[in-house]
Amino acid sequence: MSLFNVYPLFDITPVKAKDLAVYDNNGVEYLDLYGGHAVISIGHSHPKYVSAITNQVSALGFYSNAIQNPLQESLADKLVKLSGCKDYQLFLCNSGAEANENALKLASFHNGKKKILAFKNSFHGRTSAAVAATDDLKIVAPLNAQQDVDFVELGDLRTVETILKQNQTCAVIIECIQGVGGLDQSSTEFYQGLDKLCKANNTILIADEVQSGYGRTGDFFAFQKHGIQPEIISLAKGMGNGFPIGGILIHPEIKASFGLLGTTFGGNHLACAAGLAVLDVIEEENLMQNVNDISDYFMEKAKSLPQLKSIKGRGLMLGLEFNFPVAELRKKLIHHHKIFTGSAKNPNLIRILPPLTIRKKHIDVFFEALKKEL
Ligand code: PLP
């Protein structure tokens, strides 16, 4: 049977990895500055993570959500400790798209409204709000999505206000730093204004932290820099360091009832063990501080590139923007220097989303390679 061919693939077959090093089937070592799309938070095959999963699978890998699973509570407690989001409730699922679907559904259940407001160039997974950049990202929208989702320019509070006042919008969903769309962010004034407008119009604010969360920006969540209080926060990617797990944090004003949400695999024992190990390592290795230190170092180094147009993003969710398309440059980084980087909707942008365990020596290797190729 052939595979359903939806991804253009690089001709590399990774078979092994350790921290930032990935090895292919010929034993060639690559430096991973992409982390499998911001998924690898604590480094590949971290020993604590490996033993947590191994121990758990040999004890009990899975049982249904109809039976007590104390690991879910431990995960919730640890999340509160590291994120400071103490008043929220946790619902676990399997991916970012699923987290956002549940968030949108909950918002609509809560206030009885149906429409969604999202921002241009945003990306929220293959959900009904995933259509933001439909043409450019070649995402095929569900047939009804064009009617249900209003897309607004990032930063345009006036249009947000006009739409929310029509009292049809159950939720506004936003990435405080846009990922796939190209690392754009707006001002604190905008995010605070948005939060106020949502609260004034009985609309749920969903912070999509699927990519920007879990310490990647130096704060546990990217929205925390702006002092806002989203009613729902969606999580995935870095949460499991490669083990599929997602979730939503839900403000207590939204009440749970039996059957409101559900999932077979979400929050299973193995996923929780992986998620707990990730949080333990983030805490024990002080990785959020490392994010800030390495980010500063990266920014300084980037300033010395005369060809650079701008540096985008923050923490270890970074983009280097040039005045020319970077596809060839990225290929050279892979083939000549064995360095993985990422792309974005903006063809002139190299995306950097490394494991949060990255050190200065890795940044040095990257800039040396980049300077050679430029
Ligand atoms: N939200 C954001 C901000 C993302 O970047 C992504 C994936 O890239 C998603 C949601 C979807 O996550 P998943 O691919 O796990 O469904």
Side-chain angles (χ1 to χ4, degrees):
M1 191 192 295
S2 63
L3 299 179
F4 197 57
N5 193 7
V6 293
Y7 298 111
L9 299 178
F10 278 113
D11 189 17
I12 296 170
T13 309
V15 291
K16 198 172 87 168
K18 186 83 196 149
D19 200 15
L20 272 82
V22 174
Y23 301 89
D24 73 9
N25 51 353
N26 299 312
V28 177
E29 178 179 332
Y30 292 82
L31 172 62
D32 187 4
L33 298 187
Y34 192 53
H37 207 72
V39 164
I40 304 301
S41 44
I42 58 167
H44 291 278
S45 302
H46 191 288
K48 181 148 196 169
Y49 173 80
V50 172
S51 69
I53 293 178
T54 315
N55 292 341
Q56 187 61 48
V57 78
S58 53
L60 173 66
F62 174 84
Y63 207 80
S64 106
N65 271 319
I67 304 280
Q68 302 259 358
N69 175 1
L71 290 174
Q72 292 196 0
E73 266 126 52
S74 306
L75 187 59
D77 291 346
K78 194 84 198 187
L79 255 172
V80 169
K81 187 170 176 215
L82 266 70
S83 70
C85 293
K86 62 176 165 31
D87 292 329
Y88 290 76
Q89 310 154 84
L90 173 66
F91 177 78
L92 290 163
C93 55
N94 306 287
S95 70
E98 206 186 325
N100 284 333
E101 277 299 342
N102 279 305
L104 294 169
K105 235 189 280 175
L106 260 193
S108 184
F109 292 154
H110 178 69
N111 56 28
K113 300 191 248 183
K114 286 201 166 59
K115 286 184 78 173
I116 298 160
L117 189 152
F119 293 90
K120 291 187 181 160
N121 288 333
S122 60
F123 179 70
H124 302 290
R126 268 63 176 179
T127 56
S128 39
V131 286
T134 304
D135 297 338
D136 309 65
L137 293 177
K138 298 194 174 54
I139 292 161
V140 184
L143 279 180
N144 69 348
Q146 304 294 7
Q147 293 131 34
D148 292 339
V149 186
D150 286 310
F151 293 112
V152 176
E153 211 66 60
L154 186 65
D156 180 359
L157 273 185
R158 192 174 290 196
T159 304
V160 172
E161 182 168 21
T162 307
I163 293 170
L164 296 196
K165 282 199 163 146
Q166 292 163 5
N167 205 24
Q168 306 285 310
T169 304
C170 67
V172 170
I173 183 164
I174 189 163
E175 303 163 84
C176 282
I177 303 179
Q178 294 188 335
V180 183
L183 296 160
D184 281 336
Q185 41 189 328
S186 190
S187 61
T188 292
E189 196 185 358
F190 168 75
Y191 295 111
Q192 291 189 351
L194 185 66
D195 194 20
K196 269 199 201 116
L197 280 176
C198 285
K199 289 177 177 48
N201 290 284
N202 186 25
T203 299
I204 296 296
L205 179 60
I206 302 169
D208 180 343
E209 295 277 353
V210 165
Q211 189 165 151
S212 55
Y214 264 71
R216 181 154 293 280
T217 63
D219 295 314
F220 195 85
F221 291 125
F223 76 79
Q224 289 172 318
K225 176 173 190 271
H226 306 294
I228 59 173
Q229 264 229 325
E231 282 75 30
I232 304 181
I233 305 159
S234 49
L235 326 167
K237 294 198 189 289
M239 188 175 190
N241 202 49
F243 196 99
I245 178 170
I248 46 179
L249 303 189
I250 306 153
H251 192 271
E253 107 183 37
I254 301 174
K255 305 282 178 227
S257 60
F258 293 156
L260 192 64
L261 301 177
T263 162
T264 296
F265 291 117
N268 68 73
H269 294 70
L270 206 44
C272 288
L276 272 164
V278 167
L279 290 172
D280 283 344
V281 172
I282 290 178
E283 185 181 35
E284 285 162 17
E285 298 188 8
N286 209 3
L287 291 184
M288 276 151 70
Q289 184 56 51
N290 190 54
V291 169
N292 286 322
D293 295 345
I294 299 294
S295 184
D296 290 350
Y297 188 69
F298 185 99
M299 299 279 187
E300 267 316 302
K301 285 259 177 184
K303 279 184 203 154
S304 68
L305 291 175
Q307 299 89 341
L308 192 67
K309 186 177 162 205
S310 70
I311 310 175
K312 303 185 88 173
R314 116 177 108 83
L316 292 177
M317 187 167 173
L318 294 165
L320 295 176
E321 190 180 25
F322 294 91
N323 281 318
F324 53 86
V326 296
E328 278 310 306
L329 180 58
R330 285 189 56 240
K331 277 188 197 152
K332 286 178 182 164
L333 286 170
I334 291 192
H335 296 302
H336 301 171
H337 303 276
K338 314 296 176 205
I339 299 175
F340 292 156
T341 59
S343 63
K345 187 194 142 209
N346 173 353
N348 297 356
L349 196 80
I350 296 183
R351 270 203 305 163
I352 305 292
L353 298 163
L356 312 185
T357 50
I358 188 170
R359 301 289 165 203
K360 286 181 181 172
K361 65 178 182 187
H362 301 118
I363 303 294
D364 292 343
V365 168
F366 171 63
F367 278 102
E368 213 165 285
L370 197 55
K371 277 182 185 158
K372 219 171 259 175
E373 292 305 336
L374 285 169

